[in-house]
Amino acid sequence: MLIQEIKTGLSQHAARIEEASRRVREAIDTPLAGSTVRWAASMRREAIKYLAAVCGSLKGWPNQSLVGEEAAASAHRILMAGDASEIRRMLPLVICTERHT
């Protein structure tokens, strides 16, 4: 059951990040640009926190052998939406887990 919840959560958070990015692109040069960017940043932070919680739950990176191809791709999309410090913090999990699969 936990794995299914993780799969669903990763897919949902990745979709939210993609939607937020789309809205930011559409809001450029509009009066809503600032609030849209802040909202998108909060979606990204929420997704990164969820990914960190998933890594803690799984005791490693949610790779394809653990969560399936779609959820693993979602995890990578979430990671790539992070800022440099967030990516650096999670990179050891990705490298370590990928070597052991």
Side-chain angles (χ1 to χ4, degrees), residues 6-56:
I6 288 172
K7 288 179 179 183
T8 301
L10 288 170
S11 294
Q12 288 174 345
H13 282 284
R16 286 182 195 142
I17 286 175
E18 290 169 9
E19 174 66 13
S21 295
R22 183 189 62 77
R23 287 188 186 185
V24 166
R25 286 190 303 273
E26 290 174 356
I28 292 175
D29 296 328
T30 71
L32 297 175
S35 62
T36 303
V37 168
R38 285 188 296 278
W39 171 78
S42 73
M43 291 292 104
R44 180 192 56 76
R45 282 190 304 272
E46 185 179 310
I48 290 289
K49 285 180 187 176
Y50 180 78
L51 180 57
V54 165
C55 290

Side-chain angles (χ1 to χ4, degrees), residues 71-101:
S74 293
H76 282 95
R77 283 196 304 275
I78 293 168
L79 177 66
M80 296 313 295
D83 63 26
S85 66
E86 292 163 334
I87 292 171
R88 268 193 301 275
R89 190 176 70 240
M90 292 191 154
L91 196 55
L93 288 172
V94 178
I95 294 168
C96 181
T97 304
E98 294 302 322
R99 285 185 187 157
H100 294 294
T101 60

